[in-house]
Amino acid sequence: MKKIIFLPVISLLFFFSACKSHNTDAGPDKIDSKVDSVLNLMTLDEKIGQMVIYTSDWDVTGPTLKSNYIDDIRKGNCGNIFNAHTTAYVRKLQKIAVEESRLGIPLLFGYDVIHGHKTIFPISLGESASWDLEAIEKSARVSAVEAAASGLNWTFAPMCDISVEPRWGRVSEGAGEDPYLGSKIAAARVHGFQGDNNDLSDSLTILACVKHFAAYGAPIAGRDYNTVDMSKRVFLDAYLPPYKSAIDAGAMSVMTSFNELDGVPATANKYLMTDLLRNQLGFKGFVVTDYTAINELVNHGVAANEAEAGLLAVKAGVDMDMQGEVYFKYLKKQVESGQVDEKLIDEAVRRILKVKFMLGLFDDPYKYCNAEREKRLVYAPEHLQAALDVAKKSMVLLKNANNTLPLEKGEKIAVIGELANSKRDLLGSWKAAGDWDFMKSILDEIKTYNGENNVLYSEGCKMMGDDRSGFAAAIATARKAQKIIMVIGESCDWSGEAASRTNIQVPGVQTELLEKLRALGKPVVVVLMNGRPLDLTREDQTADAILEAWFPGTMGGKAVTQVLFGEYNPSGKLTMTFPRNVGQVPIFYYEKNTGRPIYLPNDKYKSKYIDCPNTPLYPFGYGLSYTTFEYSDITLSSNTLKENGKIEATVTVKNTGSRDGDEVVECYVRDLVGSITRPVKELKGFEKIKLKAGESKPVIFTITPDMLAFHQLDMSYGTEPGDYKLFIGTSSADVKETSFKLE
Ligand code: BGC
């Protein structure tokens, strides 16, 4: 029989704090030996207890709820909790773990801090449209500081799922369609959460979690949780890069995805969780499932029952069972009967304990539970300022006929639409602990800025439904104004998880009212709130100006107002293609040329639609400014790129308008002939520059061979010599072009 050494309560804690070794200073070897010394004391039950995470009853982010989690903590059957926050509540639960469980091992506290904890930033898709890595990192930093101040030590972010599927509601949580930009943003977010040096022992950093591994962003028909079926090459070249980048940036946890890949659900996928993630990508942290994803292996049809499902998951390399109770119910028996080698359990527990040591939880399990600090840091003025800054940077000016925008202060404005007066919707999906009572709506902020007497409001209609009874009042209100602003779009619950749509138009009768307002002959501005690319064909034909504001967060009302009135010159650009209609979906800029491209002379037998152009309404990388920019031709330092060499591509960008502005300069390449077909364009670099009115600046992109690598015919990763095109421009569809040869 195994001998159990009984330790006095909290002895582990005293032991480790007596050592006074700072966890990250201790180096991997020291941490490993500390981990082993804890592991040696643990019973099999206690080990399995570390391999589960349960939701508290504070928030629900999935279908089931376990009611007795507090008792499980006490018994050592639950080593991790999510959806619990505030220093008071976290302290209460941590105290039970540390003082009442036999070994006193501290808990991890996870939460979906996706785009802010209390101070909410724009939804992640919106943030990505800023193309501003510093601002995005800052957003994650502020989120981490507020989360850590509220008792948390782990966020289920960044979401690194590439997606070309606007029907899928979860595109709102990611960084859009592009692997290169997505990778840069994934790394920025990890640095923001885990701090510059990945020093998890810093009490203002939190553990990042790369999710949803892998390829969750490509569900067939855009239906959430649906099957994913893609070639390995597409997976490796287009979908894997952002996950890899987040892991390279130091993220110490990964979440499995709900979907299958090539017939094997991710949560049972040894190729993904062990061969690729650990052996090839060198991931050193632990893997947690998504919510009840082990149980769902039964529905997927790869396990006959939950016990079998658990076996598949643990053998695939999944360390922690979120909410499913499968490990809790079956693992012990499976170890005892020899179906699972206890070594596998030890490895999983080692990985989890290691992160707990890195976080410094054994030194001080209450390090995130300082109530005074919580009060001081949550909603700190500089956090709100950062949220305002990112919100403005995330907005994309989609149309601005006759320079309708910016508005002039003091003009009589009619504000129409339910969304104009909504605070809650500004927060978007995954609002964490965001609090809308604290906030101001777009309408409130426009009134404050433009003067109460200069702003007339009428709701007109709801976001949803077909009630037109408010139309007449809205039209009467609009008649009294010089200009009309209509705020339309989706409710915040219409994107995010389990929010797929087959119709991606603006819902309800909002656009119908917009058309009626247009008939008054006054300038009409649309402000859009939405979490996905929408079909805006009707709005584009109707409105004079369209500002894409996404769900802009706590400071969203002010940010929209400042952009509308020209206090900030918009600089955001789309990171997902906006189609003309849902029939073009999936649509993305890095498509292949096909054998019958549309530019061929014959009329019929080409890759095209007979009822719609191939081009999108608004392409990837597109966004206007209140000023204009002119691009010179590209000059190359050489037309030949040698192995281990580089070439520099330079354009001069001039601000040709009368306002200062920021411009995202985008650089793409095309490999003209390959061993496999290659995309017509791939983003390889970008720079966001500031230009005063009339000012010019050179922008230089350095091209090196490694930037041109891909998985070739034989699946090896590398470059192929030959001819390439190089493009630099203001969007994926508006570029200057030159060419070079790779030797
Ligand atoms: C979502 C994850 C989330 C988890 C925990 C799941 O339903 O897919 O993204 O992190 O719940 O809330």
Side-chain angles (χ1 to χ4, degrees), residues 61 82 112 156 170 211-212 255 258 290-291 322 430 497:
T61 50
F82 68 119
D112 290 283
F156 303 137
R170 301 200 79 169
K211 74 184 191 187
H212 306 83
M255 185 184 287
F258 286 125
D290 204 342
Y291 206 112
M322 181 185 280
W430 292 123
E497 190 172 354

Side-chain angles (χ1 to χ4, degrees), residues 472-489:
I475 291 165
T477 303
R479 274 190 213 285
K480 294 185 214 143
Q482 290 165 270
K483 290 187 179 160
I484 304 163
I485 300 174
M486 186 164 181
V487 186
I488 60 175

Side-chain angles (χ1 to χ4, degrees), residues 28-84:
D29 293 349
K30 284 225 180 107
I31 286 194
D32 286 346
S33 69
K34 287 179 181 184
V35 165
D36 279 337
S37 60
V38 178
L39 193 69
N40 289 338
L41 302 173
M42 295 174 82
T43 63
L44 183 53
D45 283 317
E46 283 163 340
K47 288 178 190 173
I48 294 168
Q50 291 300 307
M51 293 172 68
V52 305
I53 180 164
Y54 298 130
T55 177
S56 91
D57 42 9
W58 271 41
D59 205 346
V60 179
T61 50
T64 57
L65 195 65
K66 195 174 191 306
S67 56
N68 55 346
Y69 62 95
I70 293 191
D71 206 35
D72 286 324
I73 296 172
R74 192 171 284 124
K75 288 186 190 142
N77 287 337
C78 169
N80 314 284
I81 287 288
F82 68 119
N83 293 338

Side-chain angles (χ1 to χ4, degrees), residues 177 533-537 540 574 576-581 584-589 591 609 612-622 731-733:
E177 73 189 38
L534 292 173
D535 161 358
L536 296 173
T537 297
D540 185 73
L574 297 178
M576 279 190 84
T577 305
F578 274 43
R580 292 174 192 275
N581 63 56
Q584 289 184 313
V585 169
I587 180 170
F588 49 101
Y589 83 91
E591 63 181 4
Y609 301 102
C612 178
N614 280 10
T615 53
L617 186 62
Y618 305 124
F620 174 86
Y622 167 82
S731 86
S732 61

